[in-house]
Amino acid sequence: MVVKKLSEERLKRMAEQSDQLMALRDGSWVEVSSRDLVPGDVIRVTTGMQMSCDGILISGNAVMNESSLTGEALPIRKFPLRNDDSGFSKEANKNNQLFAGTIVSQVQPVTSSNGDYLTDDHVLCLVNHTGTASDKGKLVRKILFPQPISFVFDEQLKVVFTILGIYVLFCLAMAIYFYQGSPTATYLYFQFCAFQALSPILPAGILAGQSMAVFRLKRRQIYCVDPRRVMIAAKCRIMNFDKTGTLTNEGLEFYGVQRSRFVEEQNAAEFEQFTGDLGSCDELLQIGVASCHAVTDLGDQLIGNPVDIEQFKASKWTLDKEPKFLDKIVPPHGSALSVLHVARRFEFVHARASMSVVVQDESTGKLHVFVKGSFERIKALSNARTIPAGYDAACNQLAREGGYVLAFAHKILDATLDQLRTMEQDDIEVGCDFIGLLVFKNMLKPDTAQAISELKGGSIRTVMVTGDTALTGIFIARQCGMVPPENTVVLGDIDKKTGRLIWTNVDSDEPVADIEPLLDTRGPDGFPLTELAVTGAAFNYLDEAGQMAPLLLNTRVFARMKPQDKVRCAQMTMERGITGMCGDGGNDTAALRAAHVGIALSDAEAAIVSP
């Protein structure tokens, strides 16, 4: 009762919120309670306020602390919705949305614009979800009404109770027969038999054991919101792991750059030697790394995407707090490079897998366009003659070694600032030249290998379910011991041209026509010598065809998995045995909740949905 009471009080504190704010009603600004907000209201966003609804940022910039929902420690920079004809998507426009439960760290009104954004003296937000329809409301609803779980033990209880009921009735019949003429003796014997078969103390004893287990876990800073699952955890046979922030450190670390050089005599491009010194590279790549991001400065703390922050730190440039346009970027002391002014910025969109900026060189006045994104996207975007031979092989090799690879492209824009204001993103980015690769690495946590070894020693199957690239996931799986070093890994992916599933040996890059003989080959320990890895596209293809289930226990790495794919993966493994899911409580929250046992390595409110 005490544990339940404390959990309910904690949930009540998390769910309750009532503030006074300014809302636009009937053309005038009035002060209203956050409890009275409805979808369609326009509200003012101020520094320090806690969002009580989900909304779309329609004017001004904001820096949000979303740790309560995502578990991310760093604040996130939010941008207003663009004033164009593009459709709004909740998934694609995350950078334009504010969520209930998050805290506003900083606001910056947009008072002048080239037409891209709505201007106002205040930061404005359009309310689109309130109450249990908001992200935080859904979180609370999941806690109040958890997904029921069913076990063979629960299903067989019906049979057990039926047998015990028959046993009690048999004892009653025997009591009536032997104690004829003594109703009191018959009643007492019947009660004795009934309480012996169906003890009323048993549920209380089980609950007391579960409560004590929860208390012991709490003393180790492990919080459990569903005591019933403590006993289930001991029977776990499959453990799924997220990669970033779980098996590896939270952030990426700058690893190096590989510049591309165009050789006029050969009319072709070639890669230069890989280097960890960005300062020794070509000026264009240095400028691109320093400017192509969405980082801002909040009280001497860099705010933005963790990859963008690490990229900007590697450049050693600084942000000026009095920009001419969007941002003013100052080169390191003693550098021969000029100050840059960011004139336009197109934030990173997952659907495009890229972002771009237009910067003005203060010394020459020229406008430079830099595009950054996945190496597949930049290859498709850049002029073919500027792509070095062996481009795909070089990028895949860096990813195979655990690198997070970003590609850069550049061109000089022949336009004025006035013309720039009316240009579309596709028109600005077309005709860029590839200039180089920027590589980060996500380092393994020091205790990951030991934890995986202990789980494998306990006959628990360990699996990686990550949103990262397949080659990076395979590298980490081998590094932590999830995949034995002598085992072959075969990757399944969908051919973009034909739409067919193809299997490839990741070590030799040779196609594999039939994986069945490889899976039948076993080592001295009786386990297969070949491990499978699949991308999210291949996983969905196999699942729809009904072919994923037979390969499930041979697949070690699930890569490029979206949150809904992680849930489906957890549900499939739950059919094979009691399944656990371990993540950081961010975008894998749904999978944490779906599994029999969810472990969130976070103290954020989002992690509470992990049982």
Side-chain angles (χ1 to χ4, degrees):
M1 292 295 290
V2 173
V3 173
K4 185 177 180 181
K5 179 67 174 175
L6 292 175
S7 298
E8 289 178 349
E9 289 181 353
R10 185 183 180 192
L11 177 60
K12 185 172 181 291
R13 289 194 301 269
M14 186 186 81
E16 280 189 339
Q17 183 184 349
S18 179
D19 296 313
Q20 295 297 119
L21 43 79
M22 300 300 295
L24 185 62
R25 297 280 177 88
D26 298 327
S28 59
W29 290 98
V30 295
E31 188 176 28
V32 299
S33 170
S34 58
R35 294 175 182 267
D36 298 328
L37 292 176
V38 294
D41 277 339
V42 175
I43 62 173
R44 288 178 182 172
V45 180
T46 57
T47 300
M49 73 179 287
Q50 182 176 1
M51 293 297 298
S52 52
C53 60
D54 288 356
I56 303 169
L57 199 60
I58 58 175
S59 179
N61 300 294
V63 176
M64 305 298 297
N65 183 347
E66 296 186 344
S67 62
S68 62
L69 289 182
T70 65
E72 296 288 347
L74 290 173
I76 305 296
R77 190 176 184 182
K78 300 289 184 175
F79 304 92
L81 199 65
R82 288 188 174 276
N83 189 20
D84 55 26
D85 296 329
S86 59
F88 177 81
S89 167
K90 187 173 181 180
E91 293 299 325
N93 294 92
K94 283 188 175 181
N95 287 339
N96 310 121
Q97 298 177 74
L98 309 183
F99 300 101
T102 60
I103 299 173
V104 183
S105 300
Q106 185 187 58
V107 295
Q108 181 184 15
V110 174
T111 55
S112 60
S113 170
N114 54 16
D116 282 351
Y117 307 109
L118 178 68
T119 59
D120 196 88
D121 292 333
H122 300 89
V123 176
L124 305 180
C125 174
L126 174 67
V127 177
N128 64 339
H129 293 297
T130 60
T132 55
S134 67
D135 273 27
K136 184 176 181 179
K138 292 176 182 178
L139 177 65
V140 175
R141 189 167 53 185
K142 285 180 181 178
I143 301 172
L144 292 174
F145 308 102
Q147 178 182 349
I149 54 175
S150 178
F151 298 97
V152 175
F153 175 77
D154 295 331
E155 297 298 325
Q156 293 177 347
L157 277 180
K158 300 174 184 178
V159 180
V160 172
F161 282 122
T162 301
I163 295 173
L164 290 176
I166 295 173
Y167 167 74
V168 171
L169 292 176
F170 173 77
C171 291
L172 175 61
M174 294 299 295
I176 293 173
Y177 177 78
F178 285 110
Y179 293 105
Q180 294 181 4
S182 179
T184 303
T186 301
Y187 175 74
L188 292 175
Y189 185 74
F190 169 72
Q191 291 280 20
F192 172 78
C193 293
F195 289 150
Q196 182 187 39
L198 305 171
S199 174
I201 305 176
L202 183 61
I206 294 176
L207 183 60
Q210 293 174 351
S211 300
M212 182 56 66
V214 170
F215 177 72
R216 289 174 177 171
L217 289 172
K218 186 176 180 181
R219 291 172 61 180
R220 298 193 177 193
Q221 302 298 306
I222 302 172
Y223 297 91
C224 178
V225 297
D226 191 351
R228 289 181 59 237
R229 306 205 188 194
V230 173
M231 295 188 298
I232 303 170
K235 296 179 176 290
C236 190
R237 299 265 54 90
I238 303 172
M239 181 59 72
N240 296 333
F241 287 93
D242 181 33
K243 182 183 75 68
T244 306
T246 304
L247 298 175
T248 63
N249 294 324
E250 188 65 40
L252 293 167
E253 299 177 18
F254 173 72
Y255 183 60
V257 292
Q258 189 156 19
R259 185 184 175 275
S260 173
R261 181 171 62 92
F262 189 78
V263 183
E264 294 289 348
E265 295 79 9
Q266 302 176 4
N267 194 30
E270 62 181 18
F271 276 122
E272 294 184 347
Q273 189 69 25
F274 186 88
T275 177
D277 182 14
L278 180 61
S280 64
C281 294
D282 179 81
E283 291 183 357
L284 276 181
L285 189 55
Q286 291 187 53
I287 295 173
V289 172
S291 62
C292 196
H293 55 77
V295 175
T296 188
D297 194 344
L298 174 62
D300 296 327
Q301 179 186 10
L302 295 177
I303 304 300
N305 182 283
V307 178
D308 282 354
I309 292 174
E310 191 64 26
Q311 170 190 322
F312 187 63
K313 286 181 178 178
S315 72
K316 298 181 181 178
W317 289 49
T318 55
L319 287 167
D320 193 292
K321 295 185 178 180
E322 296 181 359
K324 179 180 178 181
F325 302 116
L326 296 178
D327 280 319
K328 180 179 179 181
I329 307 174
V330 182
H333 181 71
S335 172
L337 299 176
S338 176
V339 172
L340 303 175
H341 299 280
V342 180
R344 289 194 72 178
R345 178 190 293 116
F346 298 93
E347 293 81 22
F348 180 83
V349 178
H350 285 280
R352 299 178 68 97
S354 65
M355 73 163 293
S356 58
V357 294
V358 182
V359 297
Q360 184 184 48
D361 189 312
E362 190 174 78
S363 61
T364 63
K366 291 183 178 179
L367 293 176
H368 296 267
V369 177
F370 290 98
V371 187
K372 176 185 73 175
S374 66
F375 58 85
E376 299 97 338
R377 169 64 178 169
I378 299 302
K379 179 183 179 182
L381 194 68
S382 302
N383 292 321
R385 69 191 192 108
T386 63
I387 302 296
Y391 176 88
D392 290 331
C395 294
N396 287 331
Q397 182 60 33
L398 289 169
R400 193 176 288 114
E401 295 171 358
Y404 180 83
V405 184
L406 291 175
F408 280 79
H410 163 267
K411 77 171 184 179
I412 294 178
L413 187 65
D414 185 16
T416 64
L417 287 173
D418 290 334
Q419 293 172 333
L420 174 64
R421 294 173 181 173
T422 59
M423 295 181 70
E424 298 290 334
Q425 182 176 0
D426 291 334
D427 297 331
I428 291 174
E429 295 179 356
V430 70
C432 288
D433 296 333
F434 171 72
I435 57 174
L437 303 172
L438 186 67
V439 185
F440 302 88
K441 276 202 171 181
N442 196 208
M443 302 301 181
L444 203 67
K445 287 183 177 179
D447 56 349
T448 297
Q450 180 183 354
I452 296 297
S453 176
E454 291 181 1
L455 289 172
K456 295 177 73 173
S459 299
I460 297 176
R461 177 174 175 80
T462 55
V463 179
M464 182 187 297
V465 186
T466 177
D468 209 339
T469 62
L471 294 177
T472 302
I474 293 168
F475 174 81
I476 295 297
R478 281 176 163 166
Q479 194 177 24
C480 71
M482 194 176 287
V483 175
E486 68 276 2
N487 281 23
T488 302
V489 179
V490 177
L491 172 63
D493 198 1
I494 299 298
D495 190 315
K496 294 181 179 179
K497 295 181 179 178
T498 63
R500 299 177 58 186
L501 177 68
I502 54 174
W503 296 97
T504 308
N505 186 315
V506 298
D507 297 313
S508 63
D509 281 334
E510 296 179 355
V512 178
D514 186 9
I515 61 172
E516 293 298 333
L518 295 176
L519 299 180
D520 292 336
T521 305
R522 301 183 178 273
D525 55 1
F527 291 97
L529 292 175
T530 300
E531 303 277 5
L532 299 182
V534 295
T535 62
F539 172 79
N540 290 318
Y541 177 89
L542 291 167
D543 187 26
E544 292 173 2
Q547 301 174 8
M548 190 66 243
L551 302 176
L552 195 64
L553 297 183
N554 293 105
T555 307
R556 188 69 67 174
V557 177
F558 296 85
R560 290 299 190 195
M561 299 287 278
K562 298 177 181 178
Q564 60 269 27
D565 297 334
K566 293 183 179 183
V567 173
R568 178 58 184 155
C569 182
Q571 291 172 341
M572 294 183 70
T573 54
M574 287 166 67
E575 297 174 0
R576 299 301 186 95
I578 295 180
T579 300
M581 177 71 195
C582 183
D584 57 7
N587 61 3
D588 46 22
T589 297
L592 291 172
R593 192 66 199 176
H596 290 133
V597 181
I599 303 173
L601 305 182
S602 171
D603 58 358
E605 290 177 355
I608 297 177
V609 300
S610 174

